[in-house]
Amino acid sequence: MVQLGSLRQLTLGSFVLALIPLIALLWQSQSDLAKVGQMTTLETRFVVEIVGDVQQLDNAVVDVERSIRQYSVLKSERVAAISDNALEQFALAADNLCQGLGTGEVCSFLTTQIDQLADYRNIEDQLLLNAYLATIKDSVKQLRADVERVITERVALQQSDLNAMQAKQAWSTAMLVSVSLMLILLGSQLIVNPVNNLKKIIRILAHSKGELPPLTRHAPKELLDVEKDLHWLYDRLQQLEHIRTALLRHAAHELKTPLASIKEGCSLLSENVVGDLNDNQREVLSLLSGSTQRLNTLVEKLLDYNLLLQQAQPKLVLYKPQTLIDECIEDYALAIQNREVVVDVQVDEALLDEELFRRVLDNLVSNAVAHGAVGRPIFVKVYMSKSTGESTEEDMLILDVANHGKPISSESVTTLFEPFIRGSEPRNDNVIGTGLGLSIVADCARLMHGDVQVVEVDYADVCFRVSLSQK
């Protein structure tokens, strides 16, 4: 494959190639215009000359008739000389007109008539003389009619040539413009394809989905350099992701051992194993136990998030969503004892991963408990819906977890599902969140070929909707 040059060279080269057919079209148009001009000049000159010859012939035939009739009356040699000159001028005009017309029959007959009339001195019969003059006038009239016919034919022929030239010009224009457009599309495609490849790479980097396509072999050097930089960035991000996963795994694991020791020490102190505690010591022990519990929750979340990052493929089987929802509500019985949980499950079985779906439920219900209005109900709905794709409709399992409370602002929605992002609203349980709950929900939904988003419903202020494909 030939390596393309720089983006500037490709753009200029495509522009020049696209101009070549247009230049050819312009040259052909100029050539046809020159031919039309030349043809128009020739036809105009012919018409002017032929009309001039007809005018001379008309004048000459009038002079001949007048001078010969004068001679027949006066019998004067001076008038005879004028008549001879008039006949000579008439013969010359007739010859010029006949050469221009190219009509042989009428011209031959007219020549014969001129020869007969040239003996006008010996014609004594006035009727015969009048017949000769009338015949010549008829021949001149016939020549005039031939002139009109020839001019009409030449105009028609010129119009036909112009129509043919116009059709040729239209066909050439369509063909050359089409070639120019094809060259423009080809040049633009040589730029668009690498740009689309760059957009694909950027989308993969943004969503961390799939492998990068191989390096393009035929692209402008600037775009190829950008693609190489993106590949390097992808490798660097992969390295950082491995480092982050290892850091989370080791940090969480290393925290478990001293945390267990602290919890065990707090338990021994609370049971008065090392002696009785006074009120101040019990208050300090209570604060220490609460901090230890919060730290333990944070470590468990980190371990859970780390485990989720390492899970490659979900195990999708037919399972009853009602069972998982009941188990989740039972686990949160203490936290929701002062609230009503409205459960509406309209699906008997669905294709899902039991562990991932349970994590989604745990985190969404925990989020509703922490941020929902105290004393107001929590809604959990499961139902089927149709998602219209590019060519077919797809069955989707929908899980809605909604609650009353302060609505989520549109600015917060854009970063709501990113890891380690905590909301600014105060929690009902006064526990500092880890910022991983909704990120775990988004990752679990993605692993089950779905997604999660914040939607508006008429029965609650905040609603998280998880859509899972059932294909």
Side-chain angles (χ1 to χ4, degrees):
M1 186 66 66
V2 178
Q3 176 64 48
L4 298 178
S6 66
L7 187 60
R8 176 180 297 177
Q9 292 175 349
L10 179 59
T11 304
L12 292 177
S14 301
F15 181 74
V16 171
L17 285 177
L19 280 181
I20 291 177
L22 299 179
I23 293 174
L25 178 62
L26 180 62
W27 175 82
Q28 183 179 349
S29 300
Q30 293 294 332
S31 178
D32 290 343
L33 186 61
K35 291 180 181 179
V36 170
Q38 183 179 5
M39 182 170 58
T40 302
T41 301
L42 292 176
E43 293 300 321
T44 302
R45 182 179 301 170
F46 170 79
V47 170
V48 170
E49 291 178 354
I50 203 74
V51 170
D53 291 340
V54 170
Q55 187 67 34
Q56 291 180 3
L57 187 65
D58 288 339
N59 294 333
V61 73
V62 171
D63 292 341
V64 167
E65 183 178 6
R66 183 177 60 251
S67 60
I68 290 179
R69 289 189 182 280
Q70 288 177 355
Y71 178 79
S72 64
V73 175
L74 300 176
K75 299 297 184 178
S76 169
E77 288 299 324
R78 183 177 178 182
V79 175
I82 294 175
S83 299
D84 292 339
N85 183 61
L87 279 173
E88 184 179 354
Q89 295 297 324
F90 177 74
L92 181 61
D95 185 63
N96 291 335
L97 183 60
C98 289
Q99 289 181 2
L101 290 177
T103 54
E105 184 177 353
V106 176
C107 291
S108 299
F109 184 63
L110 184 60
T111 302
T112 302
Q113 290 175 338
I114 292 174
D115 293 339
Q116 292 176 349
L117 193 60
D119 194 27
Y120 64 91
R121 290 182 178 85
N122 300 322
I123 299 176
E124 298 293 338
D125 189 353
Q126 191 67 29
L127 293 177
L128 181 60
L129 181 62
N130 291 337
Y132 282 160
L133 292 175
T135 303
I136 288 180
K137 292 175 65 176
D138 290 340
S139 298
V140 170
K141 184 178 180 181
Q142 183 63 37
L143 279 177
R144 191 181 296 110
D146 289 345
V147 167
E148 293 178 357
R149 176 182 56 79
V150 170
I151 291 176
T152 302
E153 290 177 353
R154 292 180 72 97
V155 169
L157 181 61
Q158 183 180 10
Q159 185 64 42
S160 177
D161 292 340
L162 289 176
N163 292 336
M165 192 175 298
Q166 185 177 7
K168 176 186 175 183
Q169 185 70 21
W171 178 82
S172 300
T173 301
M175 183 185 68
L176 293 176
V177 169
S178 299
V179 172
S180 181
L181 289 176
M182 289 177 61
L183 291 174
I184 292 174
L185 291 176
L186 178 61
S188 63
Q189 199 65 29
L190 292 175
I191 299 175
V192 169
N193 285 339
V195 171
N196 289 335
N197 199 41
L198 293 179
K199 291 172 62 178
K200 181 179 179 181
I201 293 174
I202 292 173
R203 285 195 297 267
I204 293 175
L205 290 175
H207 300 286
S208 300
K209 293 182 180 179
E211 296 291 333
L212 293 185
L215 284 173
T216 305
R217 296 184 178 274
H218 50 286
K221 289 189 294 185
E222 293 89 346
L223 298 180
L224 190 58
D225 291 340
V226 174
E227 187 175 350
K228 290 179 180 178
D229 292 340
L230 289 176
H231 274 262
W232 175 85
L233 179 60
Y234 176 79
D235 294 336
R236 183 59 177 167
L237 290 176
Q238 291 293 101
Q239 293 176 4
L240 294 176
E241 182 67 23
H242 291 319
I243 293 174
R244 185 185 69 164
T245 303
L247 178 62
L248 288 174
R249 182 173 63 251
H250 290 296
H253 182 270
E254 293 299 328
L255 285 174
K256 292 292 285 185
T257 301
L259 183 59
S261 299
I262 295 174
K263 290 181 63 178
E264 183 65 23
C266 291
S267 178
L268 292 175
L269 290 174
S270 64
E271 295 175 0
N272 296 323
V273 175
V274 295
D276 296 334
L277 302 178
N278 57 36
D279 292 340
N280 292 333
Q281 290 172 336
R282 289 185 183 279
E283 183 179 356
V284 172
L285 179 61
S286 176
L287 294 174
L288 183 60
S289 298
S291 298
T292 303
Q293 183 61 37
R294 288 195 296 271
L295 182 57
N296 183 67
T297 302
L298 175 58
V299 172
E300 288 178 353
K301 287 287 187 179
L302 287 175
L303 288 173
D304 192 42
Y305 183 65
N306 184 65
L307 181 62
L308 182 62
L309 290 177
Q310 298 178 26
Q311 183 168 349
Q313 293 294 333
K315 299 177 182 178
L316 299 177
V317 295
L318 287 176
Y319 206 86
K320 295 182 178 180
Q322 182 72 58
T323 302
L324 297 175
I325 294 174
D326 292 340
E327 293 176 355
C328 178
I329 294 176
E330 183 178 353
D331 291 342
Y332 282 89
L334 185 61
I336 60 177
Q337 59 182 349
N338 296 325
R339 300 187 187 185
E340 179 187 3
V341 179
V342 180
V343 179
D344 181 13
V345 180
Q346 304 175 11
V347 179
D348 293 332
E349 289 185 334
L351 194 64
L352 48 85
D353 184 293
E354 177 184 356
E355 181 179 356
L356 294 178
F357 192 77
R358 179 56 192 273
R359 290 183 185 180
V360 170
L361 283 172
D362 287 341
N363 285 282
L364 288 182
V365 172
S366 174
N367 185 78
V369 171
H371 296 283
V374 178
R376 302 298 298 277
I378 297 174
F379 302 92
V380 180
K381 296 180 63 175
V382 178
Y383 56 95
M384 297 295 292
S385 179
K386 292 286 187 180
S387 174
T388 304
E390 295 181 356
S391 57
T392 59
E393 289 187 344
E394 181 181 358
D395 291 329
M396 302 292 291
L397 178 70
I398 307 299
L399 167 65
D400 285 351
V401 178
N403 60 270
H404 291 282
K406 185 178 180 180
I408 301 174
S409 63
S410 57
E411 294 80 7
S412 300
V413 171
T414 57
T415 59
L416 195 61
F417 300 102
E418 295 182 7
F420 305 104
I421 299 297
R422 294 194 297 266
S424 59
E425 296 80 7
R427 295 170 61 97
N428 298 325
D429 50 8
N430 295 323
V431 176
I432 299 176
T434 61
L436 290 173
L438 294 179
S439 176
I440 291 175
V441 171
D443 288 334
C444 289
R446 175 178 55 81
L447 288 172
M448 290 188 289
H449 311 295
D451 61 4
V452 59
Q453 55 186 333
V454 179
V455 298
E456 294 184 0
V457 292
D458 55 0
Y459 57 87
D461 298 321
V462 178
C463 180
F464 289 91
R465 176 166 295 170
V466 179
S467 304
L468 303 178
S469 174
Q470 295 297 293
K471 291 180 63 177

